[in-house]
Amino acid sequence: MSQDTPLPSRRDKRTAKAIKPPGKKFRWGRFVFLLLSLIIVVLGTYAGILYFDSWQGNLNKIGKPNNGSVIPKEERAQNKPIALVLLGLDTRPETGSMNTDVMMVASFNPETKTATVVSIPRDSDMDIDGYKKHKANAYYSAFSREGRNEKNLEGDAVAAYARDETRLMLSRFFDIKIDYTAVIDFRGFVDVVDALGGVDVTVDKDMRYVDNADGTNIDLKEGAQELDGEQALGFVRYRQSNRGTAQSSDFERNERQSQVLGAITDRMKSLGTVTKIDGILNAVGDNMRTDIPKAQIENIIKTYFGINRSSIRFIPLEGEWKSPYVYLNQEKLAEAKQALAEELIPDGRPTASPVNSATASTEE
């Protein structure tokens, strides 16, 4: 981490209990998927640039207001590498959960037009000095409770505090400065995939799971196919079966997240998507909140709208499950840290980087 961007120290004492979230229950179950913020905020399309005026209402819903301030030239996404935290929020009133069951850190370089995306298993033991021990997906909830109970915050300020603290925690964990955070609920995933007209993936095994309590009905057959929003959510969330198919690990789910991210990237760049930009942005605007200033979102879209799938390294962290935690493989973690840091070098990742992009990326 750069010496000119020190992170504040944290108290050892943290609140572990999840709070009960406001709002209604969403019906798609416990595993959420955050990839949409990366796609919409970063990738965009040519049509979006051509018809930029029509984006403004959705950008106002998604982005943080600029409040009259101008982003300095050297801080703009066109000129400076940036890093983002991408969180998928699981809100279940029946259990009081506010877990971020999908956590990703992504870094982008404007010089090389490349990106690295690292996914974190939800049950990971983060083992961060100065923080109370939680599973990875429980930190956002703990920060939310801290903001409400110890900082006396209310409403949107609680969510903003949890976002900021999660970003600082992951900055410390990965030894980089992370600039922004985006949070999306899983409803947005289904809406955007449907707005895209589906995604093309290869289902790695038969998947069958039914939960009448929340309407879940995952029923997928092994093989290459096009999935709609509900099916794609089932594909990335599938973990266990109650209908005779094989169970799946968190590591396999992380691999599927990377595959779907690549599939969404391909679909966003397809010719038929050009006319769908308004529907896609509207779906995300209704389901995502971020601390990225609106002007910077525009900068990001202008910079990365033509990024290729082959230019994105997907690195799912791996480890060993010993209940109740996943203990991360330190060699894989070191590789991920290096890859994220390389993307933040002004001139971009070295051509002879020891991080093997062929093994780090998910193949089509």
Side-chain angles (χ1 to χ4, degrees):
M1 183 164 43
S2 172
Q3 292 182 352
D4 60 353
T5 55
L7 295 174
S9 60
R10 296 289 307 176
R11 299 185 306 277
D12 288 338
K13 185 175 181 180
R14 290 277 178 192
T15 306
K17 234 174 138 183
I19 65 173
K20 184 175 181 178
K24 64 181 180 180
K25 174 185 175 182
F26 299 123
R27 66 187 179 90
W28 290 290
R30 64 179 299 186
F31 300 114
V32 295
F33 191 39
L34 191 274
L35 300 177
L36 287 309
S37 60
L38 175 65
I39 295 300
I40 300 304
V41 173
V42 178
L43 302 183
T45 64
Y46 290 94
I49 298 299
L50 293 174
Y51 300 100
F52 200 80
D53 287 343
S54 68
W55 289 21
Q56 299 307 310
N58 289 307
L59 289 177
N60 287 334
K61 286 195 287 185
I62 296 171
K64 179 180 178 181
N66 298 326
N67 295 325
S69 62
V70 177
I71 298 175
K73 183 176 180 180
E74 64 274 12
E75 295 294 318
R76 295 172 189 170
Q78 298 96 320
N79 304 314
K80 175 190 174 184
I82 60 172
L84 310 173
V85 174
L86 312 171
L87 302 175
L89 186 61
D90 174 14
T91 54
R92 288 177 295 151
E94 72 273 19
T95 62
S97 171
M98 281 188 68
N99 290 339
T100 51
D101 276 353
V102 170
M103 301 178 71
M104 294 185 172
V105 174
S107 56
F108 303 87
N109 189 282
E111 181 69 23
T112 56
K113 298 295 191 295
T114 56
T116 294
V117 182
V118 176
S119 56
I120 307 166
R122 68 188 192 115
D123 291 334
S124 297
D125 173 17
M126 305 293 285
D127 191 23
I128 307 171
D129 197 31
Y131 289 81
K132 186 172 181 178
K133 186 171 182 175
H134 299 299
K135 291 181 178 180
N137 69 343
Y139 280 98
Y140 182 91
S141 177
F143 292 144
S144 296
R145 185 177 180 91
E146 179 181 280
R148 179 167 299 178
N149 293 349
E150 298 183 25
K151 304 296 182 180
N152 297 316
L153 301 175
E154 297 180 357
D156 291 343
V158 175
Y161 179 82
R163 274 200 316 261
D164 289 346
E165 292 301 310
T166 303
R167 173 175 53 80
L168 291 172
M169 182 267 292
L170 290 172
S171 291
R172 186 175 298 279
F173 183 72
F174 283 106
D175 298 323
I176 61 172
K177 180 182 182 293
I178 300 176
D179 303 283
Y180 305 112
T181 308
V183 182
I184 193 171
D185 64 55
F186 52 82
R187 179 171 58 184
F189 175 73
V190 174
D191 290 349
V192 173
V193 171
D194 285 339
L196 283 167
V199 290
D200 297 313
V201 303
T202 300
V203 178
D204 52 287
K205 64 179 71 177
D206 289 351
M207 301 177 183
R208 190 77 180 95
Y209 178 79
V210 176
D211 186 345
N212 294 325
D214 64 6
T216 298
N217 187 353
I218 301 172
D219 187 6
L220 298 173
K221 296 294 185 182
E222 181 180 356
Q225 56 201 279
E226 181 182 273
L227 305 182
D228 64 21
E230 290 278 6
Q231 291 170 325
L233 182 64
F235 177 58
V236 299
R237 65 181 280 222
Y238 179 78
R239 192 180 188 189
Q240 59 185 353
S241 173
N242 54 10
R243 293 295 187 274
T245 52
Q247 66 179 13
S248 185
S249 70
D250 279 344
F251 309 118
E252 290 172 321
R253 290 196 304 156
N254 282 352
E255 292 284 355
R256 292 188 203 116
Q257 291 170 13
S258 296
Q259 182 185 171
V260 173
L261 175 56
I264 293 174
T265 303
D266 287 344
R267 188 58 66 97
M268 285 290 293
K269 288 172 64 65
S270 70
L271 206 58
T273 301
V274 169
T275 59
K276 300 177 181 179
I277 187 67
D278 285 338
I280 295 166
L281 286 174
N282 188 61
V284 174
D286 289 339
N287 295 286
M288 189 182 81
R289 295 298 178 266
T290 180
D291 54 11
I292 309 175
K294 185 167 73 73
Q296 188 74 314
I297 293 179
E298 297 173 5
N299 293 334
I300 292 170
I301 292 172
K302 289 176 180 178
T303 305
Y304 294 102
F305 72 88
I307 195 171
N308 294 313
R309 180 174 182 173
S310 61
S311 298
I312 306 174
R313 290 187 293 198
F314 302 106
I315 305 178
L317 294 182
E318 301 169 355
E320 183 180 2
W321 167 257
K322 292 183 180 179
S323 183
Y325 293 102
V326 168
Y327 292 91
L328 295 173
N329 179 295
Q330 293 303 301
E331 183 177 340
K332 191 71 173 180
L333 176 58
E335 175 188 305
K337 288 182 177 181
Q338 177 180 338
L340 289 169
E342 285 178 352
E343 222 65 75
L344 300 177
I345 299 171
D347 292 335
R349 63 173 86 154
T351 55
S353 170
V355 179
N356 187 329
S357 59
T359 58
S361 299
T362 297
E363 299 296 330
E364 295 184 29

Short mmCIF file of all heavy atoms in Angstrom, two decimals, residues 77-132:
data_model
loop_
_atom_site.label_atom_id
_atom_site.label_comp_id
_atom_site.label_asym_id
_atom_site.label_seq_id
_atom_site.Cartn_x
_atom_site.Cartn_y
_atom_site.Cartn_z
N ALA A 77 -11.02 9.17 -13.70
CA ALA A 77 -10.79 7.77 -14.10
C ALA A 77 -10.02 7.66 -15.41
O ALA A 77 -9.36 6.65 -15.66
CB ALA A 77 -12.12 7.04 -14.21
N GLN A 78 -10.09 8.68 -16.25
CA GLN A 78 -9.34 8.65 -17.50
C GLN A 78 -7.83 8.73 -17.26
O GLN A 78 -7.05 8.31 -18.11
CB GLN A 78 -9.72 9.83 -18.41
CG GLN A 78 -11.18 9.82 -18.84
CD GLN A 78 -12.04 10.70 -17.96
OE1 GLN A 78 -11.86 10.72 -16.74
NE2 GLN A 78 -12.98 11.40 -18.56
N ASN A 79 -7.43 9.27 -16.10
CA ASN A 79 -6.02 9.56 -15.85
C ASN A 79 -5.43 8.78 -14.69
O ASN A 79 -4.20 8.73 -14.56
CB ASN A 79 -5.84 11.06 -15.57
CG ASN A 79 -6.38 11.92 -16.69
OD1 ASN A 79 -6.12 11.65 -17.86
ND2 ASN A 79 -7.13 12.95 -16.35
N LYS A 80 -6.26 8.18 -13.86
CA LYS A 80 -5.76 7.53 -12.64
C LYS A 80 -6.35 6.13 -12.50
O LYS A 80 -7.57 5.96 -12.64
CB LYS A 80 -6.15 8.37 -11.42
CG LYS A 80 -5.80 7.74 -10.10
CD LYS A 80 -6.42 8.51 -8.94
CE LYS A 80 -6.20 7.79 -7.62
NZ LYS A 80 -6.88 8.47 -6.50
N PRO A 81 -5.53 5.12 -12.22
CA PRO A 81 -6.09 3.80 -11.89
C PRO A 81 -6.97 3.90 -10.65
O PRO A 81 -6.69 4.70 -9.73
CB PRO A 81 -4.85 2.95 -11.61
CG PRO A 81 -3.73 3.65 -12.30
CD PRO A 81 -4.05 5.11 -12.19
N ILE A 82 -8.04 3.12 -10.60
CA ILE A 82 -8.94 3.14 -9.46
C ILE A 82 -9.24 1.72 -8.99
O ILE A 82 -9.08 0.76 -9.75
CB ILE A 82 -10.26 3.87 -9.78
CG1 ILE A 82 -11.00 3.16 -10.92
CG2 ILE A 82 -10.01 5.34 -10.10
CD1 ILE A 82 -12.38 3.70 -11.15
N ALA A 83 -9.68 1.63 -7.75
CA ALA A 83 -10.09 0.34 -7.18
C ALA A 83 -11.46 0.50 -6.54
O ALA A 83 -11.76 1.54 -5.94
CB ALA A 83 -9.07 -0.15 -6.16
N LEU A 84 -12.27 -0.54 -6.68
CA LEU A 84 -13.64 -0.53 -6.17
C LEU A 84 -13.89 -1.76 -5.30
O LEU A 84 -13.34 -2.82 -5.55
CB LEU A 84 -14.65 -0.56 -7.31
CG LEU A 84 -14.53 0.43 -8.47
CD1 LEU A 84 -15.55 0.06 -9.54
CD2 LEU A 84 -14.73 1.84 -7.98
N VAL A 85 -14.76 -1.60 -4.30
CA VAL A 85 -15.34 -2.74 -3.58
C VAL A 85 -16.74 -2.95 -4.14
O VAL A 85 -17.50 -2.00 -4.30
CB VAL A 85 -15.44 -2.47 -2.07
CG1 VAL A 85 -16.19 -3.62 -1.38
CG2 VAL A 85 -14.07 -2.30 -1.46
N LEU A 86 -17.06 -4.18 -4.46
CA LEU A 86 -18.37 -4.55 -4.99
C LEU A 86 -19.04 -5.51 -4.01
O LEU A 86 -18.52 -6.59 -3.73
CB LEU A 86 -18.21 -5.22 -6.35
CG LEU A 86 -17.30 -4.48 -7.34
CD1 LEU A 86 -17.04 -5.33 -8.57
CD2 LEU A 86 -17.89 -3.14 -7.72
N LEU A 87 -20.18 -5.11 -3.47
CA LEU A 87 -20.86 -5.89 -2.44
C LEU A 87 -22.26 -6.28 -2.90
O LEU A 87 -23.00 -5.45 -3.43
CB LEU A 87 -20.97 -5.09 -1.14
CG LEU A 87 -19.67 -4.60 -0.51
CD1 LEU A 87 -19.98 -3.72 0.70
CD2 LEU A 87 -18.79 -5.77 -0.10
N GLY A 88 -22.62 -7.55 -2.67
CA GLY A 88 -23.97 -8.02 -2.89
C GLY A 88 -24.63 -8.26 -1.55
O GLY A 88 -24.15 -9.05 -0.74
N LEU A 89 -25.73 -7.57 -1.29
CA LEU A 89 -26.34 -7.54 0.04
C LEU A 89 -27.51 -8.51 0.14
O LEU A 89 -28.46 -8.44 -0.64
CB LEU A 89 -26.80 -6.12 0.36
CG LEU A 89 -27.34 -5.85 1.76
CD1 LEU A 89 -26.27 -6.15 2.81
CD2 LEU A 89 -27.81 -4.42 1.88
N ASP A 90 -27.43 -9.39 1.12
CA ASP A 90 -28.50 -10.35 1.44
C ASP A 90 -29.32 -9.77 2.58
O ASP A 90 -28.84 -9.68 3.70
CB ASP A 90 -27.87 -11.68 1.83
CG ASP A 90 -28.89 -12.70 2.32
OD1 ASP A 90 -30.10 -12.49 2.11
OD2 ASP A 90 -28.47 -13.71 2.91
N THR A 91 -30.55 -9.37 2.31
CA THR A 91 -31.42 -8.82 3.36
C THR A 91 -32.59 -9.76 3.58
O THR A 91 -33.45 -9.89 2.72
CB THR A 91 -31.93 -7.43 2.98
OG1 THR A 91 -32.57 -7.50 1.71
CG2 THR A 91 -30.79 -6.43 2.92
N ARG A 92 -32.61 -10.40 4.75
CA ARG A 92 -33.67 -11.35 5.06
C ARG A 92 -34.29 -11.01 6.40
O ARG A 92 -33.73 -11.29 7.46
CB ARG A 92 -33.12 -12.78 5.08
CG ARG A 92 -32.78 -13.31 3.70
CD ARG A 92 -32.17 -14.69 3.79
NE ARG A 92 -30.88 -14.68 4.48
CZ ARG A 92 -30.40 -15.70 5.17
NH1 ARG A 92 -31.10 -16.80 5.29
NH2 ARG A 92 -29.21 -15.62 5.73
N PRO A 93 -35.48 -10.37 6.42
CA PRO A 93 -36.10 -9.96 7.67
C PRO A 93 -36.36 -11.11 8.64
O PRO A 93 -36.33 -10.92 9.84
CB PRO A 93 -37.42 -9.32 7.22
CG PRO A 93 -37.16 -8.88 5.81
CD PRO A 93 -36.24 -9.92 5.24
N GLU A 94 -36.61 -12.33 8.09
CA GLU A 94 -36.95 -13.43 8.99
C GLU A 94 -35.77 -13.85 9.87
O GLU A 94 -35.96 -14.43 10.93
CB GLU A 94 -37.48 -14.64 8.20
CG GLU A 94 -36.43 -15.40 7.40
CD GLU A 94 -36.22 -14.82 6.01
OE1 GLU A 94 -36.59 -13.64 5.79
OE2 GLU A 94 -35.68 -15.54 5.16
N THR A 95 -34.54 -13.53 9.45
CA THR A 95 -33.37 -13.86 10.26
C THR A 95 -32.62 -12.63 10.76
O THR A 95 -31.68 -12.75 11.53
CB THR A 95 -32.37 -14.72 9.46
OG1 THR A 95 -31.91 -13.96 8.32
CG2 THR A 95 -33.03 -16.00 8.97
N GLY A 96 -33.04 -11.44 10.32
CA GLY A 96 -32.33 -10.23 10.70
C GLY A 96 -30.97 -10.11 10.02
O GLY A 96 -30.09 -9.40 10.49
N SER A 97 -30.78 -10.77 8.87
CA SER A 97 -29.48 -10.78 8.21
C SER A 97 -29.28 -9.54 7.35
O SER A 97 -30.21 -9.03 6.73
CB SER A 97 -29.37 -12.03 7.32
OG SER A 97 -28.21 -11.97 6.52
N MET A 98 -28.04 -9.04 7.35
CA MET A 98 -27.61 -8.03 6.39
C MET A 98 -26.23 -8.42 5.87
O MET A 98 -25.32 -7.60 5.77
CB MET A 98 -27.57 -6.64 7.02
CG MET A 98 -28.92 -5.97 7.13
SD MET A 98 -28.78 -4.26 7.68
CE MET A 98 -28.00 -3.52 6.26
N ASN A 99 -26.07 -9.68 5.53
CA ASN A 99 -24.77 -10.17 5.11
C ASN A 99 -24.47 -9.81 3.65
O ASN A 99 -25.36 -9.79 2.82
CB ASN A 99 -24.69 -11.69 5.27
CG ASN A 99 -24.67 -12.10 6.73
OD1 ASN A 99 -24.33 -11.30 7.59
ND2 ASN A 99 -25.05 -13.34 7.00
N THR A 100 -23.20 -9.59 3.38
CA THR A 100 -22.74 -9.37 2.01
C THR A 100 -22.17 -10.69 1.50
O THR A 100 -20.97 -10.93 1.56
CB THR A 100 -21.69 -8.25 1.94
OG1 THR A 100 -20.65 -8.52 2.89
CG2 THR A 100 -22.31 -6.91 2.24
N ASP A 101 -23.05 -11.54 1.00
CA ASP A 101 -22.65 -12.89 0.62
C ASP A 101 -21.84 -12.91 -0.67
O ASP A 101 -21.34 -13.96 -1.07
CB ASP A 101 -23.87 -13.79 0.50
CG ASP A 101 -24.28 -14.36 1.85
OD1 ASP A 101 -23.54 -14.14 2.82
OD2 ASP A 101 -25.33 -15.01 1.94
N VAL A 102 -21.76 -11.79 -1.37
CA VAL A 102 -20.82 -11.63 -2.47
C VAL A 102 -19.94 -10.42 -2.17
O VAL A 102 -20.44 -9.34 -1.87
CB VAL A 102 -21.53 -11.45 -3.83
CG1 VAL A 102 -20.54 -11.04 -4.91
CG2 VAL A 102 -22.23 -12.73 -4.23
N MET A 103 -18.63 -10.64 -2.20
CA MET A 103 -17.66 -9.57 -1.96
C MET A 103 -16.59 -9.66 -3.03
O MET A 103 -15.96 -10.71 -3.20
CB MET A 103 -17.04 -9.69 -0.57
CG MET A 103 -18.03 -9.65 0.58
SD MET A 103 -17.22 -9.85 2.19
CE MET A 103 -16.37 -8.27 2.34
N MET A 104 -16.37 -8.56 -3.74
CA MET A 104 -15.35 -8.51 -4.77
C MET A 104 -14.57 -7.20 -4.64
O MET A 104 -15.13 -6.17 -4.25
CB MET A 104 -15.95 -8.59 -6.17
CG MET A 104 -16.60 -9.92 -6.48
SD MET A 104 -17.17 -9.99 -8.20
CE MET A 104 -17.62 -11.73 -8.29
N VAL A 105 -13.30 -7.27 -4.96
CA VAL A 105 -12.47 -6.08 -5.09
C VAL A 105 -11.94 -6.05 -6.51
O VAL A 105 -11.43 -7.06 -7.02
CB VAL A 105 -11.31 -6.08 -4.08
CG1 VAL A 105 -10.37 -4.90 -4.31
CG2 VAL A 105 -11.86 -6.04 -2.65
N ALA A 106 -12.09 -4.90 -7.18
CA ALA A 106 -11.68 -4.78 -8.57
C ALA A 106 -10.81 -3.55 -8.74
O ALA A 106 -11.09 -2.50 -8.16
CB ALA A 106 -12.91 -4.66 -9.48
N SER A 107 -9.74 -3.67 -9.52
CA SER A 107 -8.89 -2.53 -9.83
C SER A 107 -8.78 -2.38 -11.34
O SER A 107 -8.79 -3.38 -12.08
CB SER A 107 -7.50 -2.68 -9.19
OG SER A 107 -6.88 -3.89 -9.58
N PHE A 108 -8.68 -1.12 -11.81
CA PHE A 108 -8.76 -0.81 -13.23
C PHE A 108 -7.64 0.15 -13.62
O PHE A 108 -7.32 1.07 -12.87
CB PHE A 108 -10.10 -0.14 -13.55
CG PHE A 108 -11.29 -0.97 -13.15
CD1 PHE A 108 -11.82 -0.88 -11.88
CD2 PHE A 108 -11.88 -1.83 -14.06
CE1 PHE A 108 -12.91 -1.64 -11.50
CE2 PHE A 108 -12.97 -2.59 -13.70
CZ PHE A 108 -13.48 -2.50 -12.42
N ASN A 109 -7.10 -0.06 -14.81
CA ASN A 109 -6.02 0.81 -15.29
C ASN A 109 -6.41 1.47 -16.61
O ASN A 109 -6.69 0.78 -17.59
CB ASN A 109 -4.73 0.02 -15.47
CG ASN A 109 -3.55 0.93 -15.74
OD1 ASN A 109 -3.37 1.41 -16.85
ND2 ASN A 109 -2.76 1.17 -14.71
N PRO A 110 -6.43 2.81 -16.67
CA PRO A 110 -6.86 3.50 -17.89
C PRO A 110 -5.83 3.45 -19.01
O PRO A 110 -6.18 3.60 -20.18
CB PRO A 110 -7.09 4.93 -17.41
CG PRO A 110 -6.15 5.10 -16.26
CD PRO A 110 -6.11 3.76 -15.58
N GLU A 111 -4.55 3.29 -18.66
CA GLU A 111 -3.51 3.27 -19.68
C GLU A 111 -3.58 2.00 -20.51
O GLU A 111 -3.47 2.03 -21.74
CB GLU A 111 -2.14 3.39 -19.01
CG GLU A 111 -0.96 3.41 -19.97
CD GLU A 111 -0.88 4.68 -20.80
OE1 GLU A 111 -1.45 5.71 -20.37
OE2 GLU A 111 -0.28 4.63 -21.90
N THR A 112 -3.78 0.86 -19.85
CA THR A 112 -3.80 -0.43 -20.54
C THR A 112 -5.22 -0.93 -20.82
O THR A 112 -5.39 -1.94 -21.50
CB THR A 112 -3.08 -1.49 -19.69
OG1 THR A 112 -3.69 -1.55 -18.38
CG2 THR A 112 -1.61 -1.14 -19.54
N LYS A 113 -6.23 -0.24 -20.26
CA LYS A 113 -7.63 -0.67 -20.38
C LYS A 113 -7.78 -2.11 -19.92
O LYS A 113 -8.38 -2.96 -20.60
CB LYS A 113 -8.12 -0.52 -21.82
CG LYS A 113 -8.11 0.91 -22.35
CD LYS A 113 -9.08 1.80 -21.61
CE LYS A 113 -9.26 3.14 -22.33
NZ LYS A 113 -8.03 3.94 -22.36
N THR A 114 -7.23 -2.41 -18.73
CA THR A 114 -7.31 -3.75 -18.16
C THR A 114 -7.89 -3.66 -16.75
O THR A 114 -7.97 -2.58 -16.16
CB THR A 114 -5.93 -4.42 -18.10
OG1 THR A 114 -5.03 -3.57 -17.36
CG2 THR A 114 -5.37 -4.66 -19.49
N ALA A 115 -8.31 -4.81 -16.23
CA ALA A 115 -8.89 -4.87 -14.90
C ALA A 115 -8.56 -6.20 -14.24
O ALA A 115 -8.31 -7.19 -14.92
CB ALA A 115 -10.41 -4.69 -14.97
N THR A 116 -8.57 -6.21 -12.92
CA THR A 116 -8.44 -7.43 -12.13
C THR A 116 -9.58 -7.47 -11.13
O THR A 116 -9.85 -6.47 -10.45
CB THR A 116 -7.10 -7.48 -11.37
OG1 THR A 116 -6.03 -7.57 -12.31
CG2 THR A 116 -7.03 -8.68 -10.44
N VAL A 117 -10.29 -8.59 -11.05
CA VAL A 117 -11.42 -8.76 -10.14
C VAL A 117 -11.14 -9.95 -9.24
O VAL A 117 -10.94 -11.07 -9.71
CB VAL A 117 -12.73 -8.99 -10.92
CG1 VAL A 117 -13.90 -9.10 -9.95
CG2 VAL A 117 -12.98 -7.87 -11.92
N VAL A 118 -11.13 -9.72 -7.93
CA VAL A 118 -10.87 -10.77 -6.94
C VAL A 118 -12.14 -11.01 -6.14
O VAL A 118 -12.72 -10.07 -5.59
CB VAL A 118 -9.71 -10.36 -5.99
CG1 VAL A 118 -9.53 -11.42 -4.90
CG2 VAL A 118 -8.42 -10.16 -6.78
N SER A 119 -12.59 -12.26 -6.09
CA SER A 119 -13.78 -12.61 -5.31
C SER A 119 -13.37 -13.32 -4.02
O SER A 119 -12.43 -14.11 -4.00
CB SER A 119 -14.73 -13.49 -6.13
OG SER A 119 -14.07 -14.64 -6.61
N ILE A 120 -14.10 -13.01 -2.94
CA ILE A 120 -13.78 -13.49 -1.60
C ILE A 120 -14.87 -14.46 -1.14
O ILE A 120 -16.05 -14.08 -1.10
CB ILE A 120 -13.70 -12.31 -0.61
CG1 ILE A 120 -12.74 -11.24 -1.13
CG2 ILE A 120 -13.29 -12.79 0.78
CD1 ILE A 120 -12.87 -9.92 -0.39
N PRO A 121 -14.52 -15.70 -0.78
CA PRO A 121 -15.54 -16.62 -0.25
C PRO A 121 -16.21 -16.02 0.98
O PRO A 121 -15.57 -15.42 1.84
CB PRO A 121 -14.72 -17.86 0.13
CG PRO A 121 -13.51 -17.80 -0.75
CD PRO A 121 -13.19 -16.34 -0.90
N ARG A 122 -17.51 -16.16 1.07
CA ARG A 122 -18.29 -15.48 2.10
C ARG A 122 -17.93 -15.92 3.52
O ARG A 122 -18.08 -15.15 4.46
CB ARG A 122 -19.78 -15.71 1.86
CG ARG A 122 -20.22 -17.14 2.08
CD ARG A 122 -21.66 -17.40 1.66
NE ARG A 122 -22.08 -18.70 2.15
CZ ARG A 122 -23.03 -18.88 3.05
NH1 ARG A 122 -23.68 -17.88 3.56
NH2 ARG A 122 -23.33 -20.10 3.46
N ASP A 123 -17.44 -17.16 3.69
CA ASP A 123 -17.12 -17.65 5.03
C ASP A 123 -15.64 -17.47 5.39
O ASP A 123 -15.17 -18.05 6.37
CB ASP A 123 -17.47 -19.14 5.13
CG ASP A 123 -18.97 -19.38 5.11
OD1 ASP A 123 -19.73 -18.47 5.49
OD2 ASP A 123 -19.39 -20.48 4.70
N SER A 124 -14.92 -16.67 4.62
CA SER A 124 -13.48 -16.51 4.84
C SER A 124 -13.16 -15.95 6.22
O SER A 124 -13.84 -15.04 6.72
CB SER A 124 -12.88 -15.57 3.79
OG SER A 124 -13.01 -16.10 2.50
N ASP A 125 -12.10 -16.49 6.83
CA ASP A 125 -11.51 -15.91 8.02
C ASP A 125 -10.54 -14.83 7.55
O ASP A 125 -9.46 -15.13 7.05
CB ASP A 125 -10.77 -16.99 8.81
CG ASP A 125 -9.97 -16.42 9.99
OD1 ASP A 125 -10.23 -15.27 10.39
OD2 ASP A 125 -9.07 -17.13 10.49
N MET A 126 -10.93 -13.56 7.69
CA MET A 126 -10.11 -12.47 7.15
C MET A 126 -8.85 -12.23 7.98
O MET A 126 -7.82 -11.85 7.46
CB MET A 126 -10.94 -11.18 7.09
CG MET A 126 -12.24 -11.31 6.30
SD MET A 126 -12.00 -11.58 4.55
CE MET A 126 -11.53 -9.94 4.03
N ASP A 127 -8.94 -12.44 9.30
CA ASP A 127 -7.77 -12.34 10.18
C ASP A 127 -7.02 -11.02 9.95
O ASP A 127 -5.84 -11.00 9.61
CB ASP A 127 -6.84 -13.53 9.96
CG ASP A 127 -5.76 -13.63 11.05
OD1 ASP A 127 -5.99 -13.07 12.14
OD2 ASP A 127 -4.72 -14.24 10.79
N ILE A 128 -7.73 -9.89 10.19
CA ILE A 128 -7.16 -8.58 9.96
C ILE A 128 -6.81 -7.95 11.31
O ILE A 128 -7.66 -7.85 12.19
CB ILE A 128 -8.13 -7.67 9.20
CG1 ILE A 128 -8.61 -8.36 7.92
CG2 ILE A 128 -7.49 -6.32 8.88
CD1 ILE A 128 -9.73 -7.63 7.22
N ASP A 129 -5.58 -7.53 11.44
CA ASP A 129 -5.12 -6.93 12.69
C ASP A 129 -5.95 -5.69 13.02
O ASP A 129 -6.15 -4.81 12.19
CB ASP A 129 -3.64 -6.55 12.54
CG ASP A 129 -2.97 -6.31 13.88
OD1 ASP A 129 -3.37 -6.95 14.85
OD2 ASP A 129 -2.06 -5.46 13.92
N GLY A 130 -6.46 -5.63 14.26
CA GLY A 130 -7.25 -4.49 14.70
C GLY A 130 -8.74 -4.65 14.52
O GLY A 130 -9.50 -3.76 14.89
N TYR A 131 -9.19 -5.75 13.93
CA TYR A 131 -10.61 -6.00 13.71
C TYR A 131 -11.04 -7.27 14.44
O TYR A 131 -10.32 -8.27 14.44
CB TYR A 131 -10.90 -6.18 12.22
CG TYR A 131 -10.82 -4.91 11.41
CD1 TYR A 131 -9.58 -4.43 10.99
CD2 TYR A 131 -11.95 -4.19 11.08
CE1 TYR A 131 -9.48 -3.27 10.24
CE2 TYR A 131 -11.87 -3.02 10.34
CZ TYR A 131 -10.64 -2.57 9.92
OH TYR A 131 -10.54 -1.41 9.19
N LYS A 132 -12.23 -7.23 15.02
CA LYS A 132 -12.78 -8.42 15.63
C LYS A 132 -13.03 -9.48 14.56
O LYS A 132 -13.38 -9.17 13.42
CB LYS A 132 -14.08 -8.10 16.36
CG LYS A 132 -14.63 -9.28 17.14
CD LYS A 132 -15.81 -8.87 18.01
CE LYS A 132 -16.32 -10.06 18.81
NZ LYS A 132 -17.43 -9.68 19.71
#
